[in-house]
Amino acid sequence: MTSGTQKKITGSTAVNTTAVSTDLSANLRRLDRLANLGLVSASVAHEIKNGLVAIGTFVEMLAEKGEDKEMTEVVRRELRRINALTSQMLRYSAPKPAAFTKVRTHELLDHSLRLLEHQMSGRLITLKREYHAAPDLIHGEEAQLQQAFMNLFLNAVEAVGSNGEVCVTTGNNGAHLQVSVRDSGPGIPQENLSRLFEPFFTTKKNGTGLGLAISQRIIEEHRGQIEVRSETGKGSVFVVSLPHE
Ligand SMILES: Nc1ncnc2c1ncn2[C@@H]1O[C@H](COP(=O)(O)OP(=O)(O)OP(=O)(O)O)[C@@H](O)[C@H]1O
Ligand SMILES: [Mg+2]
């Protein structure tokens, strides 16, 4: 899978439009990752805390057996310290109590897509919008939802590379609003499908493998879910379902 022919721009004399758009998209990606960082440290802290519970239980079992009291005490103290540190990490990096508001999904999607339009047309990628959801209102935090969709759009564009199509479709499905992001890229091999949402799973040379993990977390925080269907050679579609407002 290629992420296209992005040129690195050195110096400040890049004036032709292709270079400017590449620079913009590189900046967007950097911003995107920065915004992801808070969520990542929160989820790492969370995982560490879960692991500590198991270790703590094991240490208490050893303590009850009266084995190596001195060492048990040292480990206990270290556990308390790591626990306090991770709690602090969680407090600082966990998303603030989400500022949920009414969100107009189509506006939100358009806003994110606008940031990528230039990049897409430069690579001869046709962007199709098929907005059928009515109403399109959901209850959520705009910035986070935008982040979640942006990760999907970036993946779609990266998968297509050049000369292809990205199609964003919305619709209503009972109490849920659905957003599908379909691309005409190479598709996802069966053996990777179950690993896509794992943090740090990536097949890209410069990927961090965090995009989908973050998107999934955000969507789940909005009581929604995200699914993927793909076949090698036939492109991929990511479907996000979110409860209506
Ligand atoms: N639309 C897609 N088509 C094909 N493969 C995809 C698509 N979206 C995701 N993938 C696969 O899933 C992997 C994980 O995606 P994810 O967005 O989490 O990380 P990344 O894109 O590799 O890196 P990052 O998003 O951090 O820059 C990708 O490396 C790629 O192999
Ligand atoms: Mg990605």
Side-chain angles (χ1 to χ4, degrees), residues 11-215:
S12 55
T13 47
V15 282
N16 78 58
T17 50
T18 329
V20 170
S21 86
T22 313
D23 200 24
L24 173 70
S25 85
N27 281 336
L28 273 175
R29 289 185 63 90
R30 223 166 290 135
L31 260 184
D32 195 47
R33 289 196 177 137
L34 277 181
N36 278 341
L37 269 183
L39 277 167
V40 172
S41 28
S43 52
V44 171
H46 187 253
E47 291 310 307
I48 294 176
K49 275 178 95 68
N50 283 351
L52 288 182
V53 173
I55 299 172
T57 312
F58 185 67
V59 170
E60 290 317 314
M61 263 168 59
L62 287 185
E64 273 170 31
K65 285 190 186 155
E67 278 176 36
D68 206 335
K69 285 202 169 116
E70 204 186 314
M71 197 56 196
T72 311
E73 203 35 57
V74 171
V75 175
R76 265 192 188 140
R77 208 183 56 221
E78 283 306 292
L79 275 178
R80 275 199 299 274
R81 202 171 61 88
I82 304 174
N83 205 28
L85 266 174
T86 44
S87 300
Q88 213 173 23
M89 233 169 118
L90 261 174
R91 259 201 308 281
Y92 286 126
S93 54
K96 318 249 171 330
F100 276 29
T101 57
K102 253 186 213 176
V103 177
R104 292 190 181 280
T105 310
H106 294 156
E107 275 176 22
L108 180 117
L109 295 172
D110 280 343
H111 183 72
S112 310
L113 288 168
R114 204 168 303 130
L115 300 172
L116 290 172
E117 257 167 11
H118 198 76
Q119 189 182 357
M120 291 202 224
S121 59
R123 299 195 196 183
L124 303 179
I125 298 176
T126 311
L127 170 64
K128 279 198 182 155
R129 273 174 262 221
E130 291 172 5
Y131 292 171
H132 303 298
D136 72 333
L137 284 180
I138 50 177
H139 190 59
E141 197 178 337
E142 222 162 319
Q144 297 226 354
L145 287 170
Q146 184 169 335
Q147 172 86 36
F149 285 114
M150 197 68 177
N151 286 335
L152 298 185
F153 298 152
L154 282 168
N155 280 347
V157 170
E158 285 164 357
V160 172
S162 59
N163 273 306
E165 193 178 289
V166 172
C167 182
V168 183
T169 311
T170 70
N172 304 99
N173 183 4
H176 287 83
L177 182 136
Q178 278 189 339
V179 180
S180 309
V181 182
R182 184 188 303 274
D183 68 68
S184 64
I188 302 163
Q190 184 70 31
E191 68 267 25
N192 290 351
L193 274 178
S194 58
R195 306 197 54 202
L196 293 191
F197 296 94
E198 277 175 23
F200 307 112
F201 174 80
T202 182
T203 56
K204 297 172 192 170
K205 205 165 126 243
N206 296 315
T208 65
L210 290 173
L212 285 178
I214 299 296
S215 291

